Amino acid sequence: MAERKSRSRSVSGDAFDFSLLARIFEFVRPYRKVFYISLLLTIVIALLGPLRPYLIQYTLDHHVAEGNGRGLRDMTLLLIALLLVQSLLQYFHTLLTNLLGQGVIRDMRVKLYKYILTFKLKYFDRTAIGTPVTRTISDIETISDIFSDGIIIIIGDILQLVVVIGVMFYTDVKLSLVSLTVLPLLLVATNIFKNRIKDTFQDVRTQVARMNVFLQEHITGMNIVQIFNREDVEMDKFKAINEEHKQANIRSIWYYSIFFPVVEILSATSLGLLVWWGAKDVLAGHLTLGVLIAFILYINMLFRPIRELADKFNTLQMGMVSSERIFKVLDTDDAITNEGTKSASHIKGEIEFKNVWFAYNDEDWVLRDVSFKVEAGQKVALVGATGAGKSSIINLLNRFYEINKGSITIDGMDIHEYELGSLREQIGVVLQDVFLFSDTVANNITLRNPAISRAQVVEAARKVQADKFIERMPGAYDYNVRERGGMLSVGQRQLISFIRVYVYNPTILVMDEATSSVDHESEELIQNASERLTADRTSIIIAHRLSTIQNADLIMVMDKGKIIESGTHQQLLKSQGPYKKLYEIQFGKAAG
């Protein structure tokens, strides 16, 4: 944890934040050969760059000036061959750097998503879904440019600048000093531009994340927007966010619109000084025409990479800003610890909560000193008002959240001692709000587990009496239920969740028994499915209708995070306590 925090502090989003670059280059290790070949090609291309102007100079001074047609032909063929070699090298360079970038972002995206899968639900409670979506998709995409259009290209451009300037001074010191007079001004302008554009890039990435969050949330909740006739209001909000995104991009465009004309003016000035001074020397016989022409080409070779360097630095900076955001997610201390080594495959299902305290935030306690024991094979029901802490017990048993104090054991062993995946395999969960993926009925049941056959799915559907409605649908088990199961009714989604648990055959079942929003026929099917699922396995059920839990082995009444009463249905009715009052509210006093 300490390492993560220190790493997070070290990143700044600067173009050459070496600690951040070092972390990015950890993902380059599997592609070391590709990286080294790309680097070698960069060096070769940079060294070959000044060779063409030199050959043109040599041709003009030694063949054209002397009227040597054969020599001119040979040099022309040499220049064509050089051009072909440079083009071929550039092709492989572009191909390899892009392959390197795509390989890195693929591995990084896999690592990021794998890490997000380990997060406690608390992270998702406080983080808008659009944020991790932006980090996993668009932010990572910009990191590819660090390799294809960033650091390797920058190294090549800087090396080419050094080589060109070295050749220029070797050829003619005085002419080099004259033509490079404006270079300090260009470097100052480039540095100012680089610093200003960095802030705009950070702003752009922030606005992209805001837009993703807004769209994710409002498209998901579109029915609420339409039901309450809030289309115009939400449209105004979107326009405002979109306007801020546009302004952030315009600010970056504004800096470009200033910088590029400045570079062109300085380039033209340098070329003018070169021609003015060089022409005098040529006329005076102190300089050959070939050298002057070569210097004109050298100046073009200097200013083009300098102008592009600013753009490359910004590309690199944008990648670094995105990297910083991604590593902040990877440094987030919200992953569920999985240090357990025991297998839960042979548990019997005895559950015990011992003095458990739990709060979602600070010390705003949801559970207060809760203690109870469920024997293996028992059916236990939790009842109470909304917010009493019933769902929290389910979440803690699966380690979706971690307790603050106390302990939870299964078969006498603390749940932290079990390997997390093994533990969750033995705990089946049926929630009130069933989530289905945009996939087939069969894949929503098996969750693409190859160990579960189609025959097992069909048999499970028959056992929970859901086979009839599935077989009536087009394609039956291959019917695509669309996003969140939107093509199915609430009751049908609930039945599919029962089949899902049935085929996984867990030892322990925790269930939010929700039948309040389904029709009578679906309620009967769900009730029958519930009885089949809870038979011969430890079951903890959140009860919404007391009629469904009258045969439970133990009923616990919760209020304000505490168990205030427990016993069988008949015992609790006789005790004239809170359960009796709940029962009378639902069924009337005559029923008692």
Side-chain angles (χ1 to χ4, degrees):
M1 187 187 304
E3 181 186 3
R4 281 183 180 156
K5 287 180 179 177
S6 63
R7 278 182 165 186
S8 185
R9 283 194 298 267
S10 68
V11 297
S12 64
D14 292 332
F16 282 101
D17 185 329
F18 290 102
S19 60
L20 189 55
L21 275 172
R23 296 190 67 180
I24 296 171
F25 270 80
E26 290 175 8
F27 292 89
V28 178
R29 287 179 184 174
Y31 311 99
R32 284 193 296 268
K33 288 183 180 178
V34 176
F35 176 75
Y36 290 137
I37 293 172
S38 300
L39 199 57
L40 178 62
L41 288 175
T42 300
I43 295 170
V44 172
I45 291 170
L47 292 175
L48 288 178
L51 189 56
R52 254 190 302 163
Y54 176 77
L55 291 176
I56 291 172
Q57 171 196 330
Y58 186 87
T59 302
L60 290 171
D61 290 344
H62 293 84
H63 297 303
V64 174
E66 297 174 5
N68 184 354
R70 187 174 182 178
L72 175 62
R73 182 198 63 191
D74 292 341
M75 292 303 295
T76 301
L77 291 174
L78 181 60
L79 283 166
I80 292 171
L82 177 62
L83 182 62
L84 290 173
V85 169
Q86 285 180 307
S87 299
L88 191 63
L89 291 174
Q90 192 63 54
Y91 164 76
F92 283 110
H93 182 267
T94 303
L95 178 65
L96 290 175
T97 53
N98 277 278
L99 286 175
L100 175 63
Q102 291 302 315
V104 167
I105 66 171
R106 179 197 62 190
D107 295 348
M108 188 176 286
R109 185 175 282 132
V110 168
K111 181 175 181 178
L112 180 62
Y113 183 65
K114 186 178 181 180
Y115 189 60
I116 289 173
L117 288 175
T118 69
F119 281 179
K120 304 168 189 173
L121 291 185
K122 188 174 183 179
Y123 173 84
F124 302 101
D125 291 341
R126 67 170 187 261
T127 306
I129 296 300
T131 300
V133 169
T134 302
R135 300 293 174 266
T136 311
I137 299 176
S138 60
D139 276 341
I140 280 188
E141 203 64 40
T142 61
I143 292 177
S144 171
D145 295 335
I146 290 178
F147 301 97
S148 62
D149 209 25
I151 190 165
I152 294 178
I153 306 297
I154 288 172
I155 292 171
D157 284 347
I158 291 174
L159 184 59
Q160 181 168 307
L161 287 175
V162 171
V163 173
V164 169
I165 291 173
V167 171
M168 289 173 66
F169 275 93
Y170 175 78
T171 305
D172 192 302
V173 175
K174 190 183 294 183
L175 194 60
S176 298
L177 291 172
V178 170
S179 57
L180 296 177
T181 303
V182 300
L183 190 59
L185 292 175
L186 181 61
L187 293 176
V188 170
T190 301
N191 188 57
I192 292 172
F193 170 70
K194 178 178 70 70
N195 292 333
R196 294 293 184 270
I197 206 72
K198 172 191 168 184
D199 296 333
T200 66
F201 278 159
Q202 289 175 325
D203 198 15
V204 167
R205 299 312 305 165
T206 299
Q207 297 307 325
V208 168
R210 281 189 65 202
M211 191 176 294
N212 282 341
V213 168
F214 183 90
L215 287 172
Q216 173 84 25
E217 187 175 62
H218 285 75
I219 290 174
T220 303
M222 187 58 68
N223 61 329
I224 300 298
V225 173
Q226 294 179 350
I227 287 169
F228 289 95
N229 193 31
R230 305 301 291 169
E231 292 93 336
D232 292 341
V233 174
E234 299 305 327
M235 189 65 222
D236 289 341
K237 288 182 184 177
F238 179 73
K239 285 180 180 178
I241 293 173
N242 200 27
E243 178 64 22
E244 290 180 23
H245 177 260
K246 184 192 80 172
Q247 292 300 329
N249 278 284
I250 286 176
R251 282 192 291 275
S252 68
I253 294 168
W254 185 79
Y255 286 123
Y256 276 105
S257 68
I258 293 176
F259 177 68
F260 285 152
V262 167
V263 174
E264 290 300 324
I265 291 170
L266 292 175
S267 174
T269 303
S270 177
L271 197 59
L273 289 170
L274 172 66
V275 172
W276 170 69
W277 189 276
K280 286 196 307 180
D281 281 358
V282 169
L283 292 174
H286 302 310
L287 189 71
T288 66
L289 183 62
V291 171
L292 180 61
I293 298 297
F295 261 74
I296 292 173
L297 296 174
Y298 287 141
I299 290 298
N300 286 329
M301 291 184 68
L302 273 178
F303 278 86
R304 182 191 57 78
I306 287 175
R307 184 180 65 183
E308 292 185 356
L309 264 176
D311 205 23
K312 304 304 181 194
F313 267 104
N314 293 327
T315 298
L316 180 58
Q317 241 170 12
M318 202 163 187
M320 299 298 268
V321 169
S322 295
S323 302
E324 180 178 11
R325 294 170 182 270
I326 291 162
F327 286 125
K328 278 182 179 177
V329 176
L330 289 172
D331 293 337
T332 300
D333 189 29
D334 276 320
I336 302 169
T337 56
N338 184 19
E339 298 174 354
T341 57
K342 306 295 183 182
S343 171
S345 58
H346 300 296
I347 61 171
K348 296 177 181 177
E350 179 190 278
I351 302 167
E352 186 170 7
F353 276 56
K354 299 178 182 177
N355 308 112
V356 171
W357 291 74
F358 171 68
Y360 291 101
N361 297 300
D362 301 324
E363 294 189 358
D364 185 12
W365 301 112
V366 177
L367 296 180
R368 303 167 182 269
D369 200 23
V370 171
S371 297
F372 65 86
K373 186 173 184 180
V374 181
E375 300 294 341
Q378 267 193 327
K379 178 180 178 180
V380 174
L382 300 173
V383 300
T386 301
K390 305 184 298 298
S391 296
S392 298
I393 287 178
I394 290 178
N395 289 331
L396 294 176
L397 186 62
N398 286 273
R399 289 193 62 201
F400 295 143
Y401 297 86
E402 299 287 18
I403 61 175
N404 298 80
K405 292 186 282 187
S407 67
I408 303 172
T409 63
I410 296 179
D411 288 4
M413 185 178 295
D414 192 288
I415 58 174
H416 291 85
E417 295 185 34
Y418 292 107
E419 196 278 323
L420 187 60
S422 176
L423 173 69
R424 288 181 176 172
E425 282 180 358
Q426 297 304 315
I427 303 176
V429 180
V430 178
L431 297 175
Q432 179 179 356
D433 183 18
V434 178
F435 188 97
L436 297 182
F437 296 95
S438 179
D439 207 334
T440 64
V441 172
N443 287 337
N444 268 291
I445 291 170
T446 64
L447 299 177
R448 295 186 177 272
N449 186 339
I452 302 173
S453 67
R454 177 60 66 91
Q456 288 175 286
V457 172
V458 173
E459 177 62 17
R462 188 183 63 80
K463 286 285 181 65
V464 301
Q465 299 178 344
D467 54 326
K468 290 186 176 62
F469 94 80
I470 293 175
E471 289 168 359
R472 285 197 300 266
M473 295 187 296
Y477 292 90
D478 294 318
Y479 177 68
N480 193 311
V481 302
R482 307 300 176 191
E483 189 174 2
R484 298 181 67 89
M487 303 303 292
L488 303 179
S489 69
V490 174
Q492 289 171 335
R493 293 199 295 270
Q494 194 79 51
L495 286 168
I496 287 178
S497 73
F498 277 107
I499 304 171
R500 182 191 287 169
V501 172
Y502 196 97
V503 295
Y504 274 86
N505 192 29
T507 304
I508 298 170
L509 175 69
V510 290
M511 186 165 61
D512 194 340
E513 184 269 324
T515 56
S516 57
S517 56
V518 300
D519 56 72
H520 180 68
E521 182 182 356
S522 296
E523 182 179 350
E524 288 186 355
L525 288 174
I526 291 170
Q527 190 58 41
N528 291 334
S530 176
E531 289 174 3
R532 282 186 175 274
L533 278 177
T534 56
D536 301 322
R537 58 167 52 93
T538 305
S539 305
I540 299 178
I541 302 169
I542 294 178
H544 298 269
R545 296 188 180 182
L546 302 186
S547 59
T548 62
I549 57 160
Q550 292 183 16
N551 62 344
D553 298 307
L554 178 67
I555 299 171
M556 295 186 291
V557 183
M558 298 193 68
D559 183 49
K560 297 179 181 177
K562 293 184 177 182
I563 297 173
I564 57 174
E565 192 178 29
S566 64
T568 64
H569 173 69
Q570 292 300 329
Q571 289 172 343
L572 292 174
L573 287 180
K574 290 177 182 177
S575 68
Q576 301 292 318
Y579 181 81
K580 172 73 170 178
K581 293 179 182 177
L582 286 173
Y583 189 79
E584 287 176 348
I585 291 171
Q586 286 195 17
F587 298 100
K589 293 187 178 181

